[in-house]
Amino acid sequence: DVLMTQTPVSLPVSLGGQVSISCRSSQSLVHSDGNTYLHWYLQKPGQSPQLLIYRVSNRFSGVPDRFSGSGSGTDFTLKISRVEPEDLGVYYCLQSTHFPDTFGAGTKLELK
Amino acid sequence: EVQLVESGGGLVQPGRSLKLSCAASGFTFSDYYMAWVRQAPTKGLEWVASISYDGGSTYYRDSVKGRFTISRDNAKSSLYLQMDSLRSEDTATYYCVRLGDYWGQGVMVTVSS
């Protein structure tokens, strides 16, 4: 299975600040169809995960432009600017290029 | 509005069976692959199984292969997960997921004697 390594595990932030979360895969996530199936989710406390970014850099419907995704191959980053209270929770990356789909272990974004 | 509502969870003894259901609404169910993803208490997310549009193709993680069966009824816009020979390590919240974008609220399954 593809191993997804997320760092950091915990990320203290001040409201209004900017943070980056890294996700690295144990093999390239470029699919034979040319797409890269790397996605980002946020799980707020007590809620189910919600999709933020799909295929590396595409914001899902309703996701503010404070969220941006980048990367290629095996190295990916989620950036959050002007952090707001509703951004707090656990962020997960997911690869669906290779069977089976695998998630990163999560990064907890919390207030300093 | 896309809605996915799971049901059927509960407490079950090891070795017994349980069937989860997911009622979908707000979209054309037969147009989407569907999946089950689980989350053990205080742990991360783990893909369990997926099913193609018409149910003709199914996929499972190794640890549930031969014990779990994913199925769907497009006429009823419903997804199912039949879980047999349950083990303590299957204890988790199970989420019904549409093609990785929309998730249900989850249903808790506890396997314990």
Side-chain angles (χ1 to χ4, degrees), chain A residues 2-66:
Chain A
V2 176
L3 178 64
M4 304 297 289
T5 303
Q6 261 184 263
T7 55
V9 172
S10 176
L11 188 51
V13 64
S14 299
L15 295 179
Q18 177 174 302
V19 295
S20 293
I21 299 171
S22 171
C23 181
R24 289 183 172 161
S25 56
S26 59
Q27 56 185 281
S28 173
L29 299 185
V30 180
H31 193 276
S32 56
D33 66 7
N35 290 311
T36 299
Y37 295 96
L38 183 285
H39 323 287
W40 291 95
Y41 296 84
L42 165 60
Q43 186 172 30
K44 298 180 182 180
Q47 296 186 20
S48 56
Q50 57 189 83
L51 179 63
L52 298 173
I53 302 286
Y54 63 96
R55 280 189 274 121
V56 181
S57 59
N58 298 279
R59 274 188 300 277
F60 189 55
S61 174
V63 175
D65 60 7
R66 301 183 291 102

